[in-house]
Amino acid sequence: MSPGTGGLDRYMIGNRNALKTANVFAGLFTVFPIGRFVENVIFSDIEKTIRRWGMRH
């Protein structure tokens, strides 16, 4: 895969198709902290704002 031809998902799909399991897990271990950051920092701020406006789930 050459630079600029796709994102992390293409990297993981290409490695899955090539049966390079270690590289697929490397991609997963890269995605996980990014997802946790978005969930804990960005979405929590949005949720606090919604609660401040008086909305409930």
Side-chain angles (χ1 to χ4, degrees):
M1 188 165 123
S2 62
T5 59
L8 191 55
D9 59 335
R10 283 203 179 192
Y11 171 80
M12 290 171 51
I13 291 170
N15 283 306
R16 183 197 64 187
N17 292 338
L19 301 175
K20 295 181 180 178
T21 307
N23 292 348
V24 174
F25 278 103
L28 287 172
F29 290 136
T30 303
V31 169
F32 181 73
I34 295 169
R36 295 296 293 175
F37 173 79
V38 169
E39 178 72 28
N40 291 334
V41 174
I42 297 173
F43 286 156
S44 68
D45 288 344
I46 294 171
E47 191 172 324
K48 288 176 191 173
T49 303
I50 290 172
R51 284 192 182 134
R52 196 173 329 130
W53 291 343
M55 298 179 182
R56 303 266 180 224
H57 348 77

